């Protein structure tokens, strides 16, 4: 039994690390701004399509284009923030998330169907030489691109954690997320902080997208399941918590991978939904998060 | 409620035009388009009761349409129960399920409710797609079910019609009913409570509003009516399948139409449907179905623009034309404050 | 004021994680009394209100409305039992007119539109908002919003009203206007009031008694003049420096 579960446990852990990284961007934005981003998964999808296009069109490996994609995604994030989210936040006195939900759902529908219209519905991936490489460890098989993605995800998470806790920008973000009114009095530029937070969120998506585009398929409607998964992870790990996102990612990755042993692959979203409802029923404030006042 | 004389005259004229429409045009294509516009106006109005009046945003509302359609169709096939009755039973089932889904999710921030609606739709779709039977009844997975014809399709008692005209009248009546319900709610204690919940749940609770109870009531009404629309759609196509009825596209459209037209208003969903549904036809005419997603690209784009620049929807343009007419009860205008927790 | 106790807090505490936002607070509100609740920012005043009104469950302690324990009941239940409250940040229900806003409160005791309208019109008369009853609630000025917030709460026919910083953001004239209104509410409707306030002149003018919270603890209680000369209060309020200088 144990040996049967070892392989899914391993693959689940590797995938979970990447899930954690993907959710981290959402957690950050949600934590700092209280802004719901329903296009989160769709932005990941866009970044994956870009990575694949660069590989197929110009032969640039996703491992090379990763920084370019990340920088591009930063500007995409800042643009969305400045063009839409900031104006909405400014016009809503009571900072209700409703218009932002509607806006980001609109963005999600737009992006999904734009890709569908241009590239069609068939899944795409960047099959680089490394894609099929494996590393045998005892009885287990470790996929090298997955291992690489996992390791990089952990490294990026640690770097982000340092950034948030040690730099002034990071401190400003934490201040705004903890007590908006006071931090404004202390002269923190709220909207600049938001733009940076959103930008970092999309950078993380760009990094994750490049790494997974070598072994996962991208398709136009993939976004919603990643958005849902990320929210589940954020709910598990606690809003705004960096280690929480990583732990939540690992939990979700492992549960998904183990449950896939017992049911058809198409049921993975059913599993995420069940975890989602369980988290909401058992502990709405998040498994690892602190209760907020 | 008192309705102004001028409003009554307008309602009368519009009503007569709607009644006479099939006789005037005498063209199946136009009648079919009118049916689709009325259908989406109806569905968006149902969505609007929950999303517009009470501010609980669902993008998976088509799940209730699916539940309605599957329930009435299965009841018809297995027990010979007329869809006229079956649609009510489907409505009840959809309402109960909406309440069950609402119980754990309504307690939280609006974001999580919206997510749960999308997730629930996905789960139901997967279950229907990947199982040939549900509860022992044959639903045929992705193939879908063809509704058997009675008397060659000429059986009004079983909601089967040979021509488009009676179908047109059915959906127009349904649309009038949902508009009347919306109007009634807007002018009742329940509707006032919905409005309070939409703006600020804590403030509502402080005034004695049982927030979760009223949200569940609202979800029930909205899901019930949406399910009726689902049965209508099934009887229109004489076919039920998961990828249309339980598709994301359907779930998104109801919301988009109401939002673009004007959330929380009676006319908003109707205006939204009049503007957006013809875009589908235009897309079809331009690309002949070779390009997928064209109208949804436009829908997404229009929705973003509306949310950014005209948050009260197209209907607010009409209000702006009429000078200083911000009176109570008939007030269709919503100034910004739409929050939820 | 007579000696009937309408609201009693018995050793109420609320902890968040390890921090006590409200620490072992006991106090009593008498019928017809106006009790001021003061203390520096973060002293736990609003948390205490949230405990009373059911928005958060106290970690320990009991709250009684008259003889009836109400600890941990839901906000709407507590409202129906007769405790009204206002919020620090006022937010009218923007879709609705002033009258309709107040009607939402009135629906607490009736299902009839006509009756709710009647109740609300009376309340608007009392709170001097009648002339604006058909205005859009979002078009109101800040002072009108504050009055509307109070009017809504009054429409639920409370025995006790909790007012959370109603004077914040008002200029002295407006603040005097609202003070008069609050006094009128007590006198005409026989409602007991518990109010959180920062403006000392308002507290001195309105309250019969004052409670001082600091770091969640009740550090002084008594009539307004006594409390403001209490050294611990001065220290917590104005800082150590001020206290020693005044010695």
């Amino acid at each position: 039994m144990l040996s049967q579960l070892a392989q899914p446990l391993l693959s689940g852990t590797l995938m979970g690390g990447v899930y954690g990284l993907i959710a981290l961007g959402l957690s950050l934005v949600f934590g700092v701004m209280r802004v719901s981003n329903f296009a989160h998964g769709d932005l990941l999808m866009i970044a994956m399509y870009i990575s694949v296009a660069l590989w197929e069109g110009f032969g640039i490996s996703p491992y090379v284009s990763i920084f370019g994609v990340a920088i591009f995604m930063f500007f995409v994030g800042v643009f969305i923030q400045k063009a839409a989210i900031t104006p909405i936040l400014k016009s809503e006195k009571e900072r209700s998330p409703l218009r932002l939900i509607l806006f980001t759902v609109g963005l999600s529908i737009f992006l999904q169907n734009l890709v569908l219209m241009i590239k069609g519905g068939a899944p795409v991936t960047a099959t680089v030489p490394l894609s099929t490489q494996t590393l045998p460890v005892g009885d287990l098989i470790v996929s090298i691109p997955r291992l690489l993605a996992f390791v990089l995800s952990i490294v990026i998470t640690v770097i982000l954690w340092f950034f948030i806790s040690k730099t002034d920008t990071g401190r400003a973000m934490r201040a705004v997320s903890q007590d908006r009114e006071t931090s404004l009095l202390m002269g923190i530029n709220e909207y600049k902080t938001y733009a940076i937070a959103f930008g970092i969120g999309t950078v993380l998506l760009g990094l994750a997208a490049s790494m997974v585009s070598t072994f996962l398929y991208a398709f136009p409607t993939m976004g919603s399941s990643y958005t849902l998964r990320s929210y589940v992870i954020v709910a598990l790990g606690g809003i705004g918590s960096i280690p929480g996102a990583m732990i939540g990612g690992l939990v979700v990755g492992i549960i998904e991978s183990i449950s896939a042993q017992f049911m058809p692959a198409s049921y993975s979203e059913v599993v995420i939904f069940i975890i989602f409802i369980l988290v909401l029923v058992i502990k709405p404030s998040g498994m690892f998060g602190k209760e907020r006042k | 409620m008192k309705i102004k004389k001028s409003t009554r005259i307008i309602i009368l004229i519009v009503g007569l035009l709607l009644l006479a429409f099939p006789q005037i045009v005498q063209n199946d294509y136009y009648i079919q388009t009118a049916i689709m516009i009325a259908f989406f106006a109806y569905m968006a109005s149902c969505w609007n009761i929950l999303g517009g009046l009470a501010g609980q945003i669902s993008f998976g509302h088509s799940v209730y349409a699916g539940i309605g359609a599957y329930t009435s169709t299965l009841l018809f096939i297995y027990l010979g129960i007329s869809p006229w009755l079956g649609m009510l039973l489907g409505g009840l089932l959809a309402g109960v399920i909406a309440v069950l889904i609402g119980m754990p999710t309504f307690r939280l921030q609006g974001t999580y409710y919206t997510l749960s609606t999308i997730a629930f739709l996905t789960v139901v779709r997967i279950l229907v797609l990947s199982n040939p039977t549900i509860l022992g009844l044959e639903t045929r997975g992705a193939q879908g079910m063809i509704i058997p014809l009675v008397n060659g399709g000429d059986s009004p008692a079983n909601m089967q019609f040979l021509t488009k005209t009676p179908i047109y009248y059915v959906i127009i009546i349904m649309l009038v009913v949902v508009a009347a319900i919306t109007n009634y709610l807007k002018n009742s204690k329940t509707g006032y409570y919905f409005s309070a919940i939409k703006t600020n749940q804590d403030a509502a609770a402080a005034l004695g509003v049982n927030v979760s109870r009223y949200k569940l009531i609202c979800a029930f009404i909205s899901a019930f009516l949406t399910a009726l629309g689902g049965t209508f759609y099934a009887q229109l196509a004489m076919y039920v399948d998961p990828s249309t009825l339980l598709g994301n596209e359907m779930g998104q459209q109801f919301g988009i139409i109401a939002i673009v037209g004007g959330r929380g208003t009676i006319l908003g969903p109707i205006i939204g449907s009049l503007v957006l549904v013809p875009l589908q036809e235009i897309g079809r005419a331009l690309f002949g179905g070779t390009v997928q997603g064209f109208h949804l690209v436009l829908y997404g784009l229009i929705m973003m623009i509306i949310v950014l620049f005209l948050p009260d929807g197209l209907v607010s343009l009409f209000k702006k034309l009429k000078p200083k007419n911000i009176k109570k009860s008939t007030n269709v205008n919503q100034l910004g404050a739409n929050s939820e927790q | 004021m007579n000696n009937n106790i309408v609201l009693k807090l018995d050793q109420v505490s609320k902890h968040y994680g390890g921090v006590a936002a409200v620490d072992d607070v006991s106090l009593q509100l008498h019928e017809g009394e106006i009790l001021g609740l003061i203390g520096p920012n973060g002293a736990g005043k609003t948390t205490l209100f949230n405990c009373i009104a059911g928005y958060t469950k106290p970690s320990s302690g009991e709250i009684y409305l008259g003889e009836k324990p109400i600890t941990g009941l839901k906000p709407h239940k507590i409202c129906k039992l007769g405790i009204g409250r206002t919020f620090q940040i006022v937010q009218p229900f923007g879709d609705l007119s002033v009258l309709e806003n107040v009607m939402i409160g009135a629906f607490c005791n009736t299902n009839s539109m006509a009756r709710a309208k009647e109740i609300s019109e009376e309340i608007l008369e009392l709170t001097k908002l009648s002339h604006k009853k058909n205005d859009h609630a979002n078009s109101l000025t800040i002072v009108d919003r504050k009055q509307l917030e109070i009017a809504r709460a009054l429409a639920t026919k409370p025995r006790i009203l909790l007012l959370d910083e109603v004077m914040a953001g008002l200029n002295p004239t407006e603040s005097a206007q609202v003070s008069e209104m609050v006094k009128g509410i007590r006198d005409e409707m026989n409602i007991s009031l518990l109010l959180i306030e920062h403006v000392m002149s308002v507290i001195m003018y309105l309250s019969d008694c004052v409670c001082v919270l600091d770091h969640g603890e009740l550090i002084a209680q008594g009539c307004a003049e006594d409390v403001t000369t209490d050294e611990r209060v001065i220290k917590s309020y104005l800082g150590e420096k001020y206290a020693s200088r005044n010695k």
Side-chain angles (χ1 to χ4, degrees), chain C residues 49-78:
Chain C
F49 264 30
N50 285 339
C51 287
I52 300 171
Y55 285 83
T56 179
K57 204 178 171 219
S59 314
S60 62
E62 279 289 346
I63 300 165
Y64 300 91
L65 176 63
E67 299 289 305
K68 191 181 161 59
I70 57 164
T71 326
L73 290 182
K74 292 258 180 285
H76 65 93
K77 286 254 167 68
I78 289 179

Side-chain angles (χ1 to χ4, degrees), chain B residues 192 328-329, chain C residues 93 96-107 113-125 129-130 132-137 140 148 151-152 155:
Chain B
Y192 279 47
K328 10 151 289 164
S329 55
Chain C
F93 303 127
L96 305 174
S97 71
V98 169
L99 178 68
E100 289 166 330
N101 263 268
V102 181
M103 281 168 72
I104 289 179
F107 280 129
M113 290 291 276
R115 180 80 191 105
K117 208 171 229 170
E118 224 174 282
I119 298 172
S120 306
E121 275 170 350
E122 281 167 26
I123 298 283
L124 285 172
E125 199 64 49
L129 280 171
S130 286
K132 294 192 173 157
K133 69 177 183 184
N134 289 333
D135 286 11
H136 229 286
L140 294 182
L148 174 59
R152 273 192 331 207

Side-chain angles (χ1 to χ4, degrees), chain A residues 30 34 36 38 83-85 87-88 92 94 96-103 105-110 112-114 116-117 120-121 221 224 227-228 231 234-235 239 266-267 269-270 273 276-277 280-282 284, chain B residues 47 55-57 59 101 104-105 107-112 114-116 118-120 122-123 126-127 130-131 248 252 256 259 263 291-294 296-297 299-301 303-304 307-309 311 336-340:
Chain A
F30 204 33
R34 305 281 123 162
S36 317
F38 278 82
I85 296 175
I88 292 175
E92 298 272 297
E94 308 302 338
S96 70
L98 200 127
R99 264 175 80 199
L100 290 163
I101 293 180
L102 300 181
F103 180 83
V105 169
L107 180 63
S108 157
I109 294 168
F110 173 72
Q112 259 179 48
N113 291 286
L114 190 69
L116 182 67
M117 205 171 106
T221 54
S224 66
T227 304
L228 175 65
Y231 272 105
V234 171
I239 294 167
S266 63
Y267 276 37
E269 277 176 272
V270 179
F273 181 70
F276 176 69
I277 292 291
L280 294 191
V281 173
I282 298 167
Chain B
W47 181 94
Q56 307 302 310
I57 304 299
F59 279 101
I101 286 295
T105 47
R107 293 185 299 150
L108 298 154
Q109 279 206 0
T111 304
Y112 283 97
T114 305
L115 272 176
S116 74
I118 298 170
F120 183 58
T122 312
V123 166
I126 291 171
L127 291 180
S130 47
N131 289 296
N248 277 330
Q252 293 159 350
I256 298 174
I259 292 155
R263 274 177 289 145
V291 177
Q292 290 172 286
F294 169 74
L296 285 171
V297 171
Y299 279 21
L301 201 61
M303 179 155 149
M304 285 191 285
V307 173
L308 263 182
F309 301 109
N338 303 303
S339 101
E340 24 131 34

Side-chain angles (χ1 to χ4, degrees), chain B residues 76 82-84 148-163 166 235 238:
Chain B
F76 179 62
S82 160
W84 291 112
L149 294 182
V150 177
N151 191 20
D154 182 17
S155 175
N158 289 311
M159 223 199 240
Q160 296 187 6
F161 303 98
L162 277 183
T163 61
Q235 298 298 127
M238 292 307 283

